[in-house]
Amino acid sequence: MKNKILEFLRQSRDFVSGEDISSSLGISRTAVWKYIRALKEEGYEIEAVSKKGYRLVNRPDILTYSEIKDYLLTEYMGRKIFYYNSVTSTNIIAKELAENGLEEGTVIIAEEQTLGKGRMGRKWSTPNGEAIAMTIILRPEISPFMAPSITPILAVSAVEALRKLTGFDVKIKWPNDIVLDSKKLCGILTEMNSDMDMINYIIVGMGLNVNQENFDDEIKEVAVSLKSFSGINFKRKIIIAEILNEFEKNYEIFKVKGISEFLDKLKEYSVLLGKRVKVISINNSFEGEAIDIDKDGSLIVKKDNGEITKVLSGDVSVRGMYGYI
Ligand code: BTN
């Protein structure tokens, strides 16, 4: 009902009387007033003038479906959004919702995460209202072996969305980071629940630094936001919608044609190719030069002894030799 009242106010540039709203929606005027108060608490600026009614003056940059849908061109990605002020981790919530059968394309978004998860057991910080923390539920009918490729598919989609919206030279740091100005702008965490030959669901979480001005001491050398890079405040809802628009297109292509269809883009956007890297996995680590991306999406590294090796994305971390890249 709150959303219906919001739509009502959005449709009209002028005042709408409480009477009109209550009779059109079949609720009492006291109920209208309560919903208006709830909208104000969410940050909507609504002018109330006696004998005239209510007028929507300003909309907040919040990440509800009502706010994002104006920019969405998708058929199913983001058509159901669960929006929270504060959660432990959108990946944790997504997992619970996926277990309960929520459909493909459902997106979980939070203003703040208190237990945000990074790859390899690391933490991910999402300060209130400044960044994007979202997780998408997917149920592709593909082999579980193809699941790790969802990460680069989302990375390509985000790079294309961000280049289009900002014009900044954002790139991909294989396997799961998006980079701006040689620092980390965005991380992706893909998790899967599957049987041997069938995926039950995949949840793919993305943390994107948008309007943070400062970062904690321990990450400030390696982290960047769109605002810390440019001084410009960005509308997060537009960024989310554009990423989902790109992702739905790319995901549909990927399911039919596989990751090899994205090879050219992965190479074009890669920040690692031609660079010296250190590959760190649970059992060993080695150094070499990142020379190519294979048609299955893995990174090809030439070790210092000349040996050429393929690095699968799994549990590896790739570092540049001179800092983050
Ligand atoms: C990484 O770079 O290590 C991955 C970071 C992934 C962070 C996102 S924020 C939304 C989603 N919820 C989480 O708890 N993690 C992912």
Side-chain angles (χ1 to χ4, degrees), residues 231-254:
I232 301 168
N233 229 66
F234 284 86
K235 286 251 187 290
R236 296 171 304 153
K237 58 187 170 190
I238 301 180
I239 296 176
I240 290 179
E242 198 52 43
I243 291 175
L244 293 173
N245 291 342
E246 292 296 331
F247 184 56
E248 184 177 281
K249 273 190 283 181
N250 289 332
Y251 176 65
E252 286 302 313
I253 297 171
F254 163 71

mmCIF file of all heavy atoms in Angstrom, residues 231-254:
data_model
loop_
_atom_site.group_PDB
_atom_site.id
_atom_site.type_symbol
_atom_site.label_atom_id
_atom_site.label_comp_id
_atom_site.label_asym_id
_atom_site.label_seq_id
_atom_site.Cartn_x
_atom_site.Cartn_y
_atom_site.Cartn_z
ATOM 1 N N GLY A 231 35.446 13.079 -6.944
ATOM 2 C CA GLY A 231 34.780 14.170 -6.221
ATOM 3 C C GLY A 231 33.288 14.249 -6.536
ATOM 4 O O GLY A 231 32.583 15.099 -5.998
ATOM 5 N N ILE A 232 32.817 13.382 -7.408
ATOM 6 C CA ILE A 232 31.403 13.454 -7.821
ATOM 7 C C ILE A 232 30.571 12.453 -7.018
ATOM 8 O O ILE A 232 30.989 11.317 -6.791
ATOM 9 C CB ILE A 232 31.264 13.122 -9.337
ATOM 10 C CG1 ILE A 232 32.088 14.097 -10.167
ATOM 11 C CG2 ILE A 232 29.800 13.143 -9.767
ATOM 12 C CD1 ILE A 232 32.237 13.672 -11.628
ATOM 13 N N ASN A 233 29.376 12.899 -6.600
ATOM 14 C CA ASN A 233 28.431 12.016 -5.935
ATOM 15 C C ASN A 233 27.601 11.275 -6.982
ATOM 16 O O ASN A 233 27.040 11.922 -7.860
ATOM 17 C CB ASN A 233 27.480 12.884 -5.111
ATOM 18 C CG ASN A 233 27.346 12.367 -3.719
ATOM 19 O OD1 ASN A 233 28.314 12.396 -2.970
ATOM 20 N ND2 ASN A 233 26.168 11.872 -3.400
ATOM 21 N N PHE A 234 27.534 9.965 -6.878
ATOM 22 C CA PHE A 234 26.787 9.203 -7.898
ATOM 23 C C PHE A 234 25.491 8.641 -7.331
ATOM 24 O O PHE A 234 25.413 8.324 -6.148
ATOM 25 C CB PHE A 234 27.653 8.069 -8.449
ATOM 26 C CG PHE A 234 28.688 8.564 -9.417
ATOM 27 C CD1 PHE A 234 29.917 9.023 -8.978
ATOM 28 C CD2 PHE A 234 28.402 8.621 -10.775
ATOM 29 C CE1 PHE A 234 30.866 9.507 -9.870
ATOM 30 C CE2 PHE A 234 29.340 9.103 -11.675
ATOM 31 C CZ PHE A 234 30.578 9.546 -11.223
ATOM 32 N N LYS A 235 24.498 8.517 -8.191
ATOM 33 C CA LYS A 235 23.206 7.934 -7.783
ATOM 34 C C LYS A 235 23.329 6.408 -7.858
ATOM 35 O O LYS A 235 23.436 5.832 -8.945
ATOM 36 C CB LYS A 235 22.094 8.379 -8.739
ATOM 37 C CG LYS A 235 21.675 9.815 -8.562
ATOM 38 C CD LYS A 235 20.278 9.862 -7.934
ATOM 39 C CE LYS A 235 19.707 11.252 -7.863
ATOM 40 N NZ LYS A 235 20.362 12.134 -6.903
ATOM 41 N N ARG A 236 23.280 5.787 -6.684
ATOM 42 C CA ARG A 236 23.495 4.343 -6.640
ATOM 43 C C ARG A 236 22.405 3.564 -7.360
ATOM 44 O O ARG A 236 22.643 2.526 -7.953
ATOM 45 C CB ARG A 236 23.595 3.889 -5.177
ATOM 46 C CG ARG A 236 24.800 4.471 -4.444
ATOM 47 C CD ARG A 236 24.729 4.163 -2.968
ATOM 48 N NE ARG A 236 23.486 4.644 -2.399
ATOM 49 C CZ ARG A 236 22.897 4.117 -1.333
ATOM 50 N NH1 ARG A 236 23.461 3.109 -0.698
ATOM 51 N NH2 ARG A 236 21.773 4.609 -0.874
ATOM 52 N N LYS A 237 21.177 4.100 -7.312
ATOM 53 C CA LYS A 237 20.075 3.335 -7.937
ATOM 54 C C LYS A 237 20.263 3.225 -9.445
ATOM 55 O O LYS A 237 19.927 2.202 -10.056
ATOM 56 C CB LYS A 237 18.723 3.967 -7.605
ATOM 57 C CG LYS A 237 18.558 5.412 -8.013
ATOM 58 C CD LYS A 237 17.245 5.966 -7.462
ATOM 59 C CE LYS A 237 17.193 7.472 -7.651
ATOM 60 N NZ LYS A 237 16.065 8.075 -6.940
ATOM 61 N N ILE A 238 20.824 4.258 -10.055
ATOM 62 C CA ILE A 238 21.046 4.211 -11.508
ATOM 63 C C ILE A 238 22.147 3.193 -11.829
ATOM 64 O O ILE A 238 22.062 2.428 -12.790
ATOM 65 C CB ILE A 238 21.402 5.609 -12.053
ATOM 66 C CG1 ILE A 238 20.271 6.586 -11.741
ATOM 67 C CG2 ILE A 238 21.706 5.558 -13.555
ATOM 68 C CD1 ILE A 238 20.500 8.004 -12.235
ATOM 69 N N ILE A 239 23.172 3.175 -10.981
ATOM 70 C CA ILE A 239 24.279 2.226 -11.200
ATOM 71 C C ILE A 239 23.774 0.789 -11.064
ATOM 72 O O ILE A 239 24.065 -0.065 -11.909
ATOM 73 C CB ILE A 239 25.426 2.497 -10.196
ATOM 74 C CG1 ILE A 239 26.016 3.889 -10.445
ATOM 75 C CG2 ILE A 239 26.499 1.425 -10.304
ATOM 76 C CD1 ILE A 239 27.076 4.307 -9.456
ATOM 77 N N ILE A 240 22.986 0.538 -10.032
ATOM 78 C CA ILE A 240 22.454 -0.826 -9.839
ATOM 79 C C ILE A 240 21.629 -1.243 -11.054
ATOM 80 O O ILE A 240 21.808 -2.336 -11.609
ATOM 81 C CB ILE A 240 21.584 -0.903 -8.564
ATOM 82 C CG1 ILE A 240 22.467 -0.782 -7.328
ATOM 83 C CG2 ILE A 240 20.774 -2.208 -8.528
ATOM 84 C CD1 ILE A 240 21.725 -0.814 -6.012
ATOM 85 N N ALA A 241 20.732 -0.365 -11.489
ATOM 86 C CA ALA A 241 19.855 -0.711 -12.612
ATOM 87 C C ALA A 241 20.679 -0.999 -13.864
ATOM 88 O O ALA A 241 20.445 -1.983 -14.573
ATOM 89 C CB ALA A 241 18.866 0.415 -12.874
ATOM 90 N N GLU A 242 21.683 -0.181 -14.115
ATOM 91 C CA GLU A 242 22.473 -0.351 -15.343
ATOM 92 C C GLU A 242 23.293 -1.649 -15.280
ATOM 93 O O GLU A 242 23.445 -2.337 -16.295
ATOM 94 C CB GLU A 242 23.390 0.878 -15.513
ATOM 95 C CG GLU A 242 23.935 1.081 -16.897
ATOM 96 C CD GLU A 242 22.895 1.092 -18.003
ATOM 97 O OE1 GLU A 242 21.830 1.707 -17.827
ATOM 98 O OE2 GLU A 242 23.147 0.464 -19.054
ATOM 99 N N ILE A 243 23.803 -1.973 -14.100
ATOM 100 C CA ILE A 243 24.545 -3.246 -13.964
ATOM 101 C C ILE A 243 23.591 -4.419 -14.220
ATOM 102 O O ILE A 243 23.928 -5.361 -14.950
ATOM 103 C CB ILE A 243 25.204 -3.364 -12.567
ATOM 104 C CG1 ILE A 243 26.332 -2.342 -12.435
ATOM 105 C CG2 ILE A 243 25.746 -4.783 -12.347
ATOM 106 C CD1 ILE A 243 26.979 -2.267 -11.060
ATOM 107 N N LEU A 244 22.395 -4.344 -13.673
ATOM 108 C CA LEU A 244 21.432 -5.445 -13.879
ATOM 109 C C LEU A 244 21.015 -5.525 -15.348
ATOM 110 O O LEU A 244 20.851 -6.619 -15.895
ATOM 111 C CB LEU A 244 20.205 -5.268 -12.969
ATOM 112 C CG LEU A 244 20.489 -5.407 -11.460
ATOM 113 C CD1 LEU A 244 19.243 -5.045 -10.646
ATOM 114 C CD2 LEU A 244 20.945 -6.816 -11.101
ATOM 115 N N ASN A 245 20.875 -4.385 -15.998
ATOM 116 C CA ASN A 245 20.519 -4.389 -17.432
ATOM 117 C C ASN A 245 21.591 -5.117 -18.242
ATOM 118 O O ASN A 245 21.301 -5.977 -19.071
ATOM 119 C CB ASN A 245 20.398 -2.954 -17.967
ATOM 120 C CG ASN A 245 19.191 -2.213 -17.390
ATOM 121 O OD1 ASN A 245 18.271 -2.841 -16.874
ATOM 122 N ND2 ASN A 245 19.210 -0.892 -17.461
ATOM 123 N N GLU A 246 22.852 -4.744 -17.981
ATOM 124 C CA GLU A 246 23.960 -5.381 -18.714
ATOM 125 C C GLU A 246 24.064 -6.861 -18.345
ATOM 126 O O GLU A 246 24.306 -7.707 -19.198
ATOM 127 C CB GLU A 246 25.295 -4.690 -18.388
ATOM 128 C CG GLU A 246 25.426 -3.274 -18.900
ATOM 129 C CD GLU A 246 25.408 -3.202 -20.424
ATOM 130 O OE1 GLU A 246 25.835 -4.156 -21.081
ATOM 131 O OE2 GLU A 246 24.932 -2.175 -20.952
ATOM 132 N N PHE A 247 23.885 -7.135 -17.054
ATOM 133 C CA PHE A 247 24.075 -8.514 -16.594
ATOM 134 C C PHE A 247 23.028 -9.449 -17.190
ATOM 135 O O PHE A 247 23.362 -10.561 -17.603
ATOM 136 C CB PHE A 247 24.048 -8.570 -15.058
ATOM 137 C CG PHE A 247 24.335 -9.936 -14.503
ATOM 138 C CD1 PHE A 247 25.498 -10.613 -14.841
ATOM 139 C CD2 PHE A 247 23.445 -10.567 -13.641
ATOM 140 C CE1 PHE A 247 25.775 -11.874 -14.345
ATOM 141 C CE2 PHE A 247 23.705 -11.833 -13.133
ATOM 142 C CZ PHE A 247 24.870 -12.485 -13.492
ATOM 143 N N GLU A 248 21.785 -9.027 -17.255
ATOM 144 C CA GLU A 248 20.763 -9.926 -17.820
ATOM 145 C C GLU A 248 21.114 -10.300 -19.264
ATOM 146 O O GLU A 248 21.042 -11.465 -19.653
ATOM 147 C CB GLU A 248 19.369 -9.293 -17.762
ATOM 148 C CG GLU A 248 18.307 -10.250 -18.264
ATOM 149 C CD GLU A 248 16.895 -9.704 -18.154
ATOM 150 O OE1 GLU A 248 16.325 -9.733 -17.052
ATOM 151 O OE2 GLU A 248 16.353 -9.240 -19.184
ATOM 152 N N LYS A 249 21.530 -9.300 -20.033
ATOM 153 C CA LYS A 249 21.906 -9.575 -21.444
ATOM 154 C C LYS A 249 23.064 -10.576 -21.499
ATOM 155 O O LYS A 249 23.016 -11.570 -22.212
ATOM 156 C CB LYS A 249 22.381 -8.264 -22.120
ATOM 157 C CG LYS A 249 21.285 -7.438 -22.730
ATOM 158 C CD LYS A 249 21.878 -6.320 -23.565
ATOM 159 C CE LYS A 249 22.384 -5.200 -22.697
ATOM 160 N NZ LYS A 249 22.953 -4.040 -23.301
ATOM 161 N N ASN A 250 24.112 -10.276 -20.736
ATOM 162 C CA ASN A 250 25.316 -11.108 -20.793
ATOM 163 C C ASN A 250 25.081 -12.519 -20.246
ATOM 164 O O ASN A 250 25.614 -13.500 -20.766
ATOM 165 C CB ASN A 250 26.464 -10.438 -20.035
ATOM 166 C CG ASN A 250 26.968 -9.214 -20.777
ATOM 167 O OD1 ASN A 250 26.872 -9.130 -21.998
ATOM 168 N ND2 ASN A 250 27.495 -8.238 -20.046
ATOM 169 N N TYR A 251 24.291 -12.607 -19.200
ATOM 170 C CA TYR A 251 23.976 -13.904 -18.570
ATOM 171 C C TYR A 251 23.220 -14.798 -19.553
ATOM 172 O O TYR A 251 23.496 -16.000 -19.659
ATOM 173 C CB TYR A 251 23.156 -13.628 -17.308
ATOM 174 C CG TYR A 251 22.654 -14.830 -16.555
ATOM 175 C CD1 TYR A 251 23.531 -15.725 -15.946
ATOM 176 C CD2 TYR A 251 21.287 -15.053 -16.415
ATOM 177 C CE1 TYR A 251 23.050 -16.820 -15.242
ATOM 178 C CE2 TYR A 251 20.799 -16.138 -15.707
ATOM 179 C CZ TYR A 251 21.689 -17.024 -15.124
ATOM 180 O OH TYR A 251 21.206 -18.104 -14.424
ATOM 181 N N GLU A 252 22.304 -14.218 -20.303
ATOM 182 C CA GLU A 252 21.553 -15.000 -21.294
ATOM 183 C C GLU A 252 22.497 -15.534 -22.380
ATOM 184 O O GLU A 252 22.378 -16.673 -22.807
ATOM 185 C CB GLU A 252 20.437 -14.139 -21.925
ATOM 186 C CG GLU A 252 19.249 -13.907 -21.001
ATOM 187 C CD GLU A 252 18.600 -15.204 -20.536
ATOM 188 O OE1 GLU A 252 18.358 -16.081 -21.375
ATOM 189 O OE2 GLU A 252 18.360 -15.345 -19.315
ATOM 190 N N ILE A 253 23.421 -14.694 -22.823
ATOM 191 C CA ILE A 253 24.392 -15.138 -23.844
ATOM 192 C C ILE A 253 25.288 -16.230 -23.261
ATOM 193 O O ILE A 253 25.529 -17.269 -23.878
ATOM 194 C CB ILE A 253 25.256 -13.946 -24.329
ATOM 195 C CG1 ILE A 253 24.374 -12.897 -25.004
ATOM 196 C CG2 ILE A 253 26.378 -14.418 -25.261
ATOM 197 C CD1 ILE A 253 25.078 -11.586 -25.327
ATOM 198 N N PHE A 254 25.766 -15.997 -22.034
ATOM 199 C CA PHE A 254 26.672 -16.951 -21.381
ATOM 200 C C PHE A 254 26.050 -18.341 -21.273
ATOM 201 O O PHE A 254 26.704 -19.360 -21.540
ATOM 202 C CB PHE A 254 27.061 -16.418 -19.997
ATOM 203 C CG PHE A 254 27.637 -17.455 -19.083
ATOM 204 C CD1 PHE A 254 28.906 -17.967 -19.313
ATOM 205 C CD2 PHE A 254 26.906 -17.944 -17.994
ATOM 206 C CE1 PHE A 254 29.440 -18.945 -18.476
ATOM 207 C CE2 PHE A 254 27.432 -18.913 -17.167
ATOM 208 C CZ PHE A 254 28.700 -19.415 -17.403
#
